Every structure is written in structure tokens, then in C-alpha cells.
Amino acid sequence: MQSAPLNAVNHDRLRGCGAAAGLKPLFYSTLLSNAAKRLADGLSLQAAMASSGYLAVESAEIRLSGVASDPEIQRLVAEHYCRTVQNPRMQDFGVERRAREVWMVLAAPASVPKSGDAPAVSRLVLELVNKARAAGRRCGGKLFAPVGPLVLDPALTRAALEHSRDMAQHDAFDHRGQDGSTPAARIDRAGFGAHRIVGENIAAGAMTPDEVTAGWLASPAHCENIMDGRFLLIGIGYAENRQTRSVVFWTQDFAARR
């Protein structure tokens, strides 16, 4: 039942809509079929995806009415949905068919950083941050000259990880912790020692080091923290909670010892 609509869509994706270089066929996903069932029940695509358990960075729906045969699915998709089915980011496919009504969902899976990848992820974020510092940058209305690199600090990393886990657990996005703690208090609690300046960046929803760093650099206040030459040390931590809309929560803590 599922293979016929998938075959029709893959035909259009690879040939029926005209050849497109580099495209690969879509793969059937039980989770996306669950999303398609929820679409058929009347949910929005966003609600259907959220309840399906499929973590996507992008998704799209196709609904066909009055479909009598599988060749008709192929024809209608080619006539009206070529742009959707030839989106190179889409990888997976789900379908729900009820009489002559067909609901299809296409999606691109999110790649969530795993906890075991934390050292490598932190190094990548650090490299991107130090690349920006070395080049100099305009943050909103302020121009920052090139400045020396930040060094990853274990205590600041513990503080950053603590706050990311706190935000993920409580689905919160705030510099103040659920226990009322401030960035400075968390750095003290992590054993950093005496400090003369402290700063913090947080983010939610970014899935990769490139994405989260680009977001920080695009925000004047976060960019200023990254480019501030008074900061000498940094800690980087992230945590995930797939039951939240943002999924991944990030923290950067900055400081200089007294």
C-alpha cells in the first residue's frame, strides 16, 4: 500500500519532473506515515510532525483528492508538486491513503549532536568563534578590531553544560536558572575561582556548531560577547530534550580571571 505512492513520487522526483542532478530517492518512514495519518485526522503539519516522533529540519505535505489509481498520483504530483518532491534536502516519505484521498509527508531529518560528541562539537564552536575574533567584526552598530583567541576552560564548560541541561529539562530559555542562579553564580559553583568579568550566550533550536555560531554572530549582543577582548576563556555546553520544540539548548560562558 505504501510502496505504490512512494514509487510514484520517486518517479517524479528522479524523472517525471525532469532530471535533476544529484537527487536520491526518498525512503519510506513509519514515523512520517504516522504524521500523514494525523494530517488525515485534521491536524496541521506542524502538530502532526510534533506528535509523530520524527525530528525534522524541514517538512512538506502533499494532499491529493479524488485519486482513483497509482498512475494518477504520479500525474498529479508531476503537475502540481515538482518543486516539493525535487527538494534535495528531503530524504524520507510517509503516506496515508483513505479511499480516494491521499496525504503524503516529505521531510529532512535533523542531525542532533550526541552527548558523546561534546568534545568535538565544542572544538568546532571554538574554532568558529576564534575565526571571527581573528578577523574582526561589526556587531550591530559597533565595530570590533581583531582580537586574540579564547581558550576552552573546564570549569566554564561545566557551568555551560549545567545551564544547557537546566534549560533542556525545563524547556526554558533564560539566563536565569530554574534555581534562580545567574551566570556568575553558576561559574562560581563550577569552581572557576575569582573572576573580573563574566558573560553568557544562550541559544535554542540550532542543530550544528555552524548554525548556533552563525546565529550568535548575527545577533549584536551575542556577537559583542564573542568579540569582547576582555574575555580570555570560554566554556561551551549543549543538551537535548526531544520532547521540546527547540530540541537542543546551547550555552557559552565567557570569563577572565581576576
Side-chain angles (χ1 to χ4, degrees), residues 33-230:
S33 285
N34 290 337
K37 289 178 183 178
R38 287 164 171 78
L39 280 178
D41 290 337
L43 292 185
S44 67
L45 177 61
Q46 181 180 345
M49 291 297 294
S51 63
S52 72
Y54 185 103
L55 188 60
V57 291
E58 185 175 355
S59 59
E61 65 177 290
I62 295 174
R63 181 176 179 180
L64 304 176
S65 299
V67 177
S69 65
D70 295 332
E72 197 166 1
I73 293 176
Q74 186 174 307
R75 178 181 63 80
L76 289 172
V77 168
E79 287 179 0
H80 303 288
Y81 295 100
C82 277
R83 190 170 183 177
T84 299
V85 300
Q86 287 198 317
N87 182 338
R89 293 182 294 276
M90 299 302 187
Q91 297 181 30
D92 298 320
F93 172 92
V95 61
E96 174 71 359
R97 195 169 187 174
R98 299 180 182 178
R100 298 179 67 170
E101 303 287 313
V102 180
W103 292 260
M104 293 179 279
V105 178
L106 288 69
S111 179
V112 178
K114 300 177 177 62
S115 59
D117 297 336
V121 170
S122 294
R123 284 195 300 271
L124 285 172
V125 173
L126 181 63
E127 287 174 10
L128 293 167
V129 163
N130 281 337
K131 182 178 179 181
R133 283 170 67 94
R137 196 173 191 90
R138 181 176 292 279
C139 301
K142 294 183 180 180
L143 182 62
F144 287 81
V147 66
L150 293 166
V151 176
L152 201 60
D153 179 81
L156 292 181
T157 295
R158 287 194 296 273
L161 180 58
E162 174 197 338
H163 191 53
S164 291
R165 287 173 172 169
D166 187 43
M167 289 192 294
Q169 180 182 349
H170 296 95
D171 194 12
F173 186 69
D174 199 319
H175 288 286
R176 186 166 292 276
Q178 292 298 302
D179 61 357
S181 61
T182 63
R186 290 189 292 272
I187 288 170
D188 289 339
R189 194 157 61 200
F192 180 79
H195 45 76
R196 54 186 172 85
I197 184 172
V198 170
E200 185 174 82
N201 285 346
I202 57 175
M207 298 295 172
T208 66
D210 293 89
E211 186 181 357
V212 72
T213 307
W216 280 325
L217 289 171
S219 166
H222 297 90
C223 177
E224 287 181 25
N225 275 341
I226 289 173
M227 297 302 301
D228 193 330
R230 296 174 298 170

